Amino acid sequence: VEELAGRPATELREIGWEGCTHPDDLQRLAAGADIDTLDHFEPVEYRILRPDGAIRWVRSSGALLRDQDDAIIGLVGTAADVTAIHEAHDRLRESEARNRAIVETAAEGIVSVDDNGTIVEFNAAAERMFGHASDDVIGTATIFGLFAPSDSERLAGYFAEYQAGAAPRLVGRGSTEITGQRRDGSFVPI
């Protein structure tokens, strides 16, 4: 705990957890159960401020120690530094936001699907190309419904082969023109 908090044990005993806990987390942590009725506490995450100004994320849990008269005589617990996990989540959120911005502003129609062919991403250019609102297709429609019937069947076959372990037939193979079908039934070359 000394290494995590950047303070010697004597100072930690003197200032208590409140003295090194980030002010934005104090109220949330203090709103927990009454310490006299709490036998153990589930893992909780909060930030601590180190003397050098660094902020570390901590995950801790513990249990009260009581004597024969049920008086509290101490606390036993664990505290783990989970800063790297929080930093990784922050980087992932930033990366996802950048990717969303790129996809949404791309001039080309971008449609992403899951393992079943269900549409999970449909950018503004795809909306213009196919005439469908993204809210109408994401999570409910499959990619195969965006193509002319003859191409839809062929692509569904390629997709099934790919799911079974075959190499992709279209991706990474140069350009292949297929025919998309707009919401109004008209066709568009892709």
Side-chain angles (χ1 to χ4, degrees):
V1 175
E2 290 176 280
E3 185 179 325
L4 178 60
R7 303 170 190 268
T10 53
E11 183 181 349
L12 289 171
R13 280 191 293 275
E14 205 174 283
I15 65 172
W17 69 269
E18 299 96 339
C20 59
T21 300
H22 193 286
D24 294 345
D25 295 337
L26 274 174
Q27 185 176 8
R28 175 177 54 88
L29 294 172
D34 178 19
I35 191 74
D36 292 327
T37 63
L38 186 68
D39 286 326
H40 72 280
F41 60 93
E42 297 299 320
V44 61
E45 291 186 6
Y46 56 94
R47 293 165 291 176
I48 59 169
L49 294 172
R50 294 171 48 104
D52 63 3
I55 296 173
R56 305 301 295 174
W57 277 95
V58 177
R59 173 181 254 189
S60 63
S61 63
L64 294 176
L65 298 174
R66 297 180 182 268
D67 64 14
Q68 300 121 314
D69 300 322
D70 209 29
I72 299 171
I73 58 172
L75 173 75
V76 63
T78 62
D81 186 343
V82 293
T83 305
I85 294 169
H86 281 267
E87 290 172 347
H89 284 146
D90 290 344
R91 286 190 304 274
L92 179 60
R93 275 191 298 277
E94 291 168 6
S95 175
E96 287 172 343
R98 277 192 307 275
N99 288 340
R100 263 192 312 279
I102 290 168
V103 167
E104 280 307 311
T105 58
E108 296 82 17
I110 298 175
V111 180
S112 299
V113 298
D114 65 13
D115 291 343
N116 298 313
T118 302
I119 297 170
V120 295
E121 193 167 41
F122 199 81
N123 74 348
E127 288 181 331
R128 290 187 299 276
M129 181 185 301
F130 292 106
H132 292 281
S134 61
D135 290 342
D136 294 339
V137 294
I138 291 176
T140 59
T142 67
I143 188 76
F144 312 113
L146 298 178
F147 301 105
S150 59
D151 283 336
S152 181
E153 289 175 22
R154 182 169 51 102
L155 294 171
Y158 291 169
F159 192 77
E161 290 172 7
Y162 176 72
Q163 285 183 306
R169 293 260 199 128
L170 297 176
V171 178
R173 302 282 185 190
S175 62
T176 301
E177 190 170 297
I178 54 178
T179 303
Q181 187 167 6
R182 294 186 178 106
R183 183 177 184 180
D184 66 6
S186 62
F187 298 110
V188 57
I190 300 174

